[in-house]
Amino acid sequence: MNKKVAFYTLGCKLNFSETSTIARSFSNEGFDRVDFSEKADIYVINTCSVTENADKRFKTIVKQAQKANDKAFIAAVGCYAQLKPQQLADVNGVDLVLGATEKFKITDYLNDLSKNDFGEVHSCEIEEADFYVGSYSIGDRTRAFLKVQDGCDYKCTYCTIPLARGISRSDTMANVLKNAREISSKNIKEIVLTGVNIGDYGKGEFGNKKHEHTFLDLVTELDKVEGIERLRISSIEPNLLKNETIDLVSKSRAFVPHFHVPLQSGHNEILKKMKRRYMRELYVDRVAKIKEVMPHACIGVDVIVGFPGETDDHFLETYNFLNELDISYLHVFTYSERDNTEAAEMEGVVPNNVRSKRSKMLRGLSVKKRRAFYESQLGTTRTVLFESENKEGYVHGFTENYVKVKTPWNPVLINTLHEVELTEIDDDGLVRFNFTKVLA
């Protein structure tokens, strides 16, 4: 009988792509992968450190693994494992904690899988995380997350990612294209490009700071890979989203008109305190450029509420700024203090109840923005890629510009592309449609 391994991933798309790569290394060692709720010999938890909530969830997930098999070997990897290895190792039941450079070599550390009396830690100084490990996720038949870049050289005052993932470094162009071809050969219709700061692509491609390729070069070459129906850029910094990239997407064969561009605050004073690399005027310019060449494009925005020093006036200016922008939805983050960051030492701490109230206001604005965007798309013809899950008798899908649609469940639709006409918004906020043409 083969040993069984189960995985739990917290956090971002990048973590999901890395979990997939780690899972493949287990398959190569003869392990069978099972669901995290099932009995396994080893449970691997890929951790996140972006929000306080992700830290707290770790203990709950360990208990979940112990409930499924109290004799199982439990390993923690990922960002929180790099930042606070001993804290994770001290959690009852945890046997192994691997930092940023060790996580991809996890199978080398497994020996006999017998439980340890205490959590064994293998972590590095983050300066040692200066090499690149490529990865992609193919757990879902419909889309894959393709990692093209890791680490970050920015010094945003609220962020621990540089401490958890190290300097900015990139995959080689040849390897990204090889991975993209591998993915397309598996009948996966959509690839989402992911990384910590993907607009910085090219830096560190050869293990040093020398640039041969840029993000524009990358998207230009990926657009030529045959067999990929859709390419989607995940999150990209406004100062790194160049006109040439926007123009390429507008004329592209495969790149879809959907951008996710972090803003974080609509007030320049707060942006300066955050050490962001742009002012709000640049953000306005980026949105205007996208809408000029792709009026139907979907634009998502990250925003942080409750940053130290954010007054009611600052917040209202952010709210009004976002309300007037031609954007489609918001990802709202409530600021939480992180150890070893500049922001944690700043004055003007915003009370938690105020943070919560501001977050609720922006989430309400996001619902309004998404509804208005969906309404603007009614009557248009779009292409939908259908998902694989049966959700209460419906199959869901996304148009190229990220409108979420639904139709009664039909397994034949899974992982297929259809041209549709968007007709109405249902009570749950999703869009109904009429089929017009089968594409693939």
Side-chain angles (χ1 to χ4, degrees), residues 193-204:
L193 301 186
T194 184
V196 175
N197 187 0
I198 62 172
D200 210 21
Y201 176 82
K203 195 183 282 184

Side-chain angles (χ1 to χ4, degrees), residues 2 21 23 51 116 133 141 158 353 365 390:
N2 286 349
T21 296
T51 64
N116 292 328
V133 178
R141 279 172 58 188
Y158 52 82
N353 64 324
L365 178 61
N390 182 341

Side-chain angles (χ1 to χ4, degrees), residues 218-274:
L218 179 73
V219 293
T220 302
E221 291 306 310
L222 279 168
D223 201 34
K224 298 173 188 171
V225 176
E226 288 182 17
I228 302 170
E229 301 286 343
R230 283 183 175 181
L231 285 156
R232 199 180 293 275
I233 298 167
S234 60
S235 185
I236 184 165
E237 294 284 300
N239 51 303
L240 296 174
L241 178 56
K242 306 298 186 189
N243 285 347
E244 294 83 357
T245 304
I246 296 169
D247 285 333
L248 181 137
V249 171
S250 74
K251 301 181 181 81
S252 163
R253 175 193 67 80
F255 276 94
V256 294
H258 173 210
F259 295 86
H260 194 90
V261 190
L263 169 68
Q264 311 308 14
S265 175
H267 197 288
N268 284 343
E269 190 182 320
I270 300 296
L271 287 172
K272 284 176 187 168
K273 287 186 77 174
M274 291 176 165

Side-chain angles (χ1 to χ4, degrees), residues 69-88:
N69 181 7
D70 60 359
K71 295 181 177 62
F73 189 92
I74 298 175
V77 300
C79 291
Y80 197 41
Q82 174 64 36
L83 290 172
K84 302 269 181 81
Q86 200 54 54
Q87 205 165 308
L88 294 192

Side-chain angles (χ1 to χ4, degrees), residues 89-311:
D90 291 342
V91 172
N92 182 40
V94 173
D95 300 290
L96 179 67
V97 179
L98 298 180
T101 60
E102 289 80 14
K103 61 188 170 190
F104 292 107
K105 300 180 282 191
I106 183 171
T107 55
D108 296 347
Y109 290 97
L110 295 181
N111 302 327
D112 60 358
L113 292 189
S114 55
K115 294 291 285 177
N116 292 328
D117 294 332
F118 55 88
E120 192 180 313
V121 173
H122 295 275
S123 69
C124 63
E125 292 302 317
I126 198 58
E127 289 75 21
E128 293 169 36
D130 58 358
F131 57 90
Y132 186 85
V133 178
S135 53
Y136 61 85
S137 76
I138 48 170
D140 162 350
R141 279 172 58 188
T142 312
R143 68 178 54 80
F145 299 122
L146 172 57
K147 174 182 165 186
V148 300
Q149 182 273 343
D150 201 351
C152 189
D153 292 341
Y154 287 11
K155 300 288 188 284
C156 301
T157 55
Y158 52 82
C159 186
T160 57
I161 295 297
L163 301 173
R165 285 189 169 269
I167 60 170
S168 178
R169 54 211 188 272
S170 308
D171 205 348
T172 62
M173 177 80 83
N175 199 50
V176 172
L177 296 175
K178 177 181 83 69
N179 285 341
R181 290 187 192 101
E182 275 180 27
I183 293 166
S184 74
S185 72
K186 299 177 195 302
N187 193 31
I188 290 167
K189 300 282 197 288
E190 180 176 310
I191 292 178
V192 182
L193 301 186
T194 184
V196 175
N197 187 0
I198 62 172
D200 210 21
Y201 176 82
K203 195 183 282 184
E205 193 182 349
F206 303 100
N208 52 36
K209 293 294 178 187
K210 196 175 92 170
H211 275 258
E212 182 173 324
H213 297 109
T214 64
F215 185 68
L216 179 63
D217 295 334
L218 179 73
V219 293
T220 302
E221 291 306 310
L222 279 168
D223 201 34
K224 298 173 188 171
V225 176
E226 288 182 17
I228 302 170
E229 301 286 343
R230 283 183 175 181
L231 285 156
R232 199 180 293 275
I233 298 167
S234 60
S235 185
I236 184 165
E237 294 284 300
N239 51 303
L240 296 174
L241 178 56
K242 306 298 186 189
N243 285 347
E244 294 83 357
T245 304
I246 296 169
D247 285 333
L248 181 137
V249 171
S250 74
K251 301 181 181 81
S252 163
R253 175 193 67 80
F255 276 94
V256 294
H258 173 210
F259 295 86
H260 194 90
V261 190
L263 169 68
Q264 311 308 14
S265 175
H267 197 288
N268 284 343
E269 190 182 320
I270 300 296
L271 287 172
K272 284 176 187 168
K273 287 186 77 174
M274 291 176 165
K275 290 194 177 169
R276 300 293 285 161
R277 297 195 176 193
Y278 53 86
M279 293 290 100
R280 59 185 245 162
E281 290 74 15
L282 175 85
Y283 201 92
V284 172
D285 182 71
R286 297 299 75 209
V287 171
K289 173 62 182 175
I290 292 168
K291 288 294 185 174
E292 176 196 327
V293 294
M294 290 169 278
H296 60 298
C298 178
I299 303 174
V301 183
D302 286 343
V303 61
I304 296 170
V305 297
F307 189 79
E310 183 187 64
T311 64

